[in-house]
Amino acid sequence: MRPSRRTVLSATAAGAALGATATGTAHAAPASGDRPPATAQRPSRELRSLLREIDPARIEATVRTLVSFGTRHTLSAQDDPARGIGAARDWLLAELRSYAQASGGRMTAASQSYVQEPASRVPTATRITNVVATLRGSVTPERVYVVSGHYDSRASDVMDATSDAPGADDDASGVAVVLELARVMARRRPAATIVFAAVAGEEQGLYGSAYLAQQLKDAGADVQGMFTNDIVGSSTADDGTKDPFTIRLFAEGVPTSETPEQAAVRRSVGGENDSVTRQLARFVRDVADNDATGMHVRVVHRRDRYLRGGDHIPFLERAYPAARFTEPAEDFAHQHQDVRVDAEGKQYGDLPEFCDFGFVTRVARVNAAALWTLAQAPGTPRAATIVTSGLTNATRLTWTRGTEPDLAGYEVVWRETTAPEWTHVVDAGDVTAYEADLSKDNVFFGVRAVNRAGLRSPVAFPAPQA
């Protein structure tokens, strides 16, 4: 039988669903504290094998190599083989090309350049170069997921292009995550396409990521998820406290790209906590907050930290789901600081000795769990709607069937409007419509796709359809 109003009210009161459907049982789990949400997915054997290959020694070597270029300021030398952003760019491209050789032709690596005319923090025309590796999907290559870190660095003065700016945490750590994911995944066959990007120009104004996002937009790419890793190198806060098993994930609610018409719909249905980026963040918790990664994903309901911004923002501006990974508590003595020792003997500067490479390794595993599951699972359901053509206490959902050859069907999820996580899941079957004897006025609904391997997509939040 379908879930009824009586069923869901009893389930909410008892903390577990008791209803069943014709094709399976409705599941519910508390979504508070450290308990996993009802939508959690256990890591597969394939994913666990991939995560074991992520190598902390390689991650440390990448950070130290990037630091060895002295400065990677966007305005620094581009033609010096040993110092400056040009040397870092060439080394990154060579690394990614070496990984691509193991891919059997599925991965390509290239530099992506343009000339930035004078603008904020760029006083003269400057070539900005991203280094990008693309692992083409074997089943639905048109579906794309992006992971990035920025390889430029800075000193105290954002316009100082000559002083040492080691940038170990900000953001050699994020680039090390990207490179290690590219190395491990190059030998595998994801169903969807994964783009691994080391971008430049972040400290001067997100220039490289804006160019990358626009290139994808101009190409009509179906980017269904983007993660930037920025300042993921340390688990120690400025007061010395440590939190080595938590990573923050910043995820906006009201979309940056929202139109006035979309805002009107959101206000009418109460969708402030159900943007595509919030669904992406819930998915990360579902697949990466577990024993396989050894990490707790702390989702923060903000686009970014106060007074800060990251390379996910240009993707958000172009209506792509995008979120930012950042360490749990920062030490600002080791960010955006000249390398120096003050009168009290305190060391300043973003040096590798302040990084925790075991922590960075676990962050890489969180990214890998999210990206690999996204790439192997079906895409997020399209055209999900909630029928509102008449007054009724039942809820009818519709969506468009995906094109994946291994698609098995769909699940409907729901939660109380005050709950942060999905609390109920029911198997809807291989259909494109579902009706629940529950009032759409009282709960939030969603739809997710399932393939034959049991992998689930992120949830699609339905729009009202008259």
Side-chain angles (χ1 to χ4, degrees):
M1 63 180 180
R2 303 275 186 185
S4 67
R5 287 189 290 276
R6 180 174 296 174
T7 294
V8 76
L9 289 173
S10 299
T12 301
L18 303 175
T21 69
T23 52
T25 302
H27 304 286
S32 60
D34 293 328
R35 297 180 182 180
T39 46
Q41 302 185 53
R42 294 298 302 161
S44 66
R45 182 179 300 177
E46 175 190 47
L47 177 57
R48 287 182 183 274
S49 175
L50 184 156
L51 298 182
R52 285 194 293 269
E53 292 182 28
I54 295 174
D55 186 350
R58 285 181 174 271
I59 286 173
E60 179 175 357
T62 294
V63 171
R64 292 189 181 279
T65 298
L66 289 170
V67 169
S68 74
F69 296 117
T71 180
R72 305 186 306 278
H73 194 282
T74 298
L75 307 179
S76 64
Q78 299 207 18
D79 54 1
D80 187 320
R83 182 180 176 87
I85 197 165
R89 171 201 64 210
D90 295 345
W91 180 81
L92 288 166
L93 182 57
E95 283 294 293
L96 287 173
R97 283 179 170 167
S98 73
Y99 305 157
Q101 290 176 359
S103 72
R106 294 183 303 279
M107 177 183 279
T108 58
S111 58
Q112 181 190 75
S113 294
Y114 79 104
V115 174
Q116 174 61 52
E117 296 300 327
S120 175
R121 296 184 176 183
V122 181
T124 60
T126 300
R127 180 166 296 279
I128 292 178
T129 303
N130 301 325
V131 185
V132 181
T134 303
L135 180 59
R136 183 172 172 81
S138 59
V139 180
T140 53
E142 67 280 0
R143 181 160 52 97
V144 177
Y145 300 96
V146 180
V147 61
S148 81
H150 72 86
Y151 72 98
D152 60 307
S153 64
R154 59 165 287 185
S156 297
D157 179 355
V158 72
M159 302 304 293
D160 180 355
T162 58
S163 297
D164 281 353
D169 191 1
D170 184 14
D171 185 36
S173 64
V175 175
V177 167
V178 171
L179 259 64
E180 187 62 0
L181 296 184
R183 183 187 73 84
V184 170
M185 293 184 184
R187 301 187 298 276
R188 291 175 162 83
R189 293 180 178 271
T193 295
I194 304 175
V195 175
F196 308 88
V199 300
E202 192 272 350
E203 300 291 7
Q204 305 310 109
L206 312 181
Y207 289 107
S209 60
Y211 186 75
L212 172 61
Q214 190 60 46
Q215 291 296 106
L216 289 164
K217 194 73 173 180
D218 291 345
D222 180 20
V223 178
Q224 293 197 13
M226 183 273 181
F227 302 109
T228 190
N229 288 267
D230 195 352
I231 311 178
V232 295
S234 175
S235 58
T236 304
D238 51 3
D239 62 357
T241 58
K242 295 180 180 292
D243 189 0
F245 302 106
T246 299
I247 184 68
R248 288 185 292 176
L249 181 61
F250 285 85
E252 73 172 14
V254 176
T256 294
S257 63
E258 187 178 68
T259 66
E261 293 75 18
Q262 291 168 336
V265 172
R266 172 181 53 78
R267 287 192 294 267
S268 72
V269 303
E272 292 81 6
N273 199 21
D274 282 283
S275 65
V276 289
T277 294
R278 288 280 164 87
Q279 307 303 348
L280 183 65
R282 291 186 178 107
F283 179 91
V284 175
R285 263 212 75 195
D286 284 348
V287 303
D289 190 320
N290 52 48
D291 66 304
T293 65
M295 290 289 269
H296 168 59
V297 179
R298 180 179 181 179
V299 177
V300 181
H301 287 180
R302 286 196 170 100
R303 188 173 75 168
D304 211 320
R305 302 146 303 151
Y306 282 101
L307 303 178
R308 310 294 285 275
D311 288 320
H312 59 309
I313 292 176
F315 285 80
L316 293 170
E317 291 170 342
R318 290 157 180 82
Y320 291 136
R324 174 191 179 130
F325 286 109
T326 295
E327 62 200 28
E330 299 166 72
D331 187 341
F332 301 105
H334 306 307
Q335 294 177 24
H336 299 184
Q337 293 281 351
D338 291 340
V339 178
R340 66 192 189 281
V341 178
D342 69 10
E344 286 72 42
K346 181 179 177 64
Q347 176 72 63
Y348 286 81
D350 192 354
L351 299 163
E353 52 260 42
F354 299 110
C355 287
D356 175 349
F357 297 108
F359 174 78
V360 185
T361 301
R362 290 189 292 277
V363 173
R365 289 180 180 137
V366 168
N367 278 260
L371 281 167
W372 189 252
T373 309
L374 283 166
Q376 295 296 74
T380 304
R382 295 188 180 280
T385 61
I386 189 164
V387 178
T388 58
S389 54
L391 296 175
T392 171
N393 283 319
T395 300
R396 182 172 176 79
L397 304 167
T398 66
W399 56 90
T400 301
R401 193 180 189 279
T403 60
E404 295 88 354
D406 63 343
L407 184 64
Y410 293 86
E411 292 176 339
V412 170
V413 301
W414 73 94
R415 70 182 199 273
E416 289 291 307
T417 61
T418 54
E421 306 273 5
W422 299 110
T423 54
H424 297 73
V425 182
V426 64
D427 183 359
D430 191 1
V431 296
T432 57
Y434 184 88
E435 186 164 312
D437 189 18
L438 304 171
S439 174
K440 55 189 168 292
D441 297 325
N442 296 339
V443 298
F444 286 136
F445 283 94
V447 182
R448 67 178 182 175
V450 187
N451 67 11
R452 288 196 290 268
L455 297 176
R456 274 82 172 165
S457 74
V459 169
F461 187 67
Q465 181 190 56

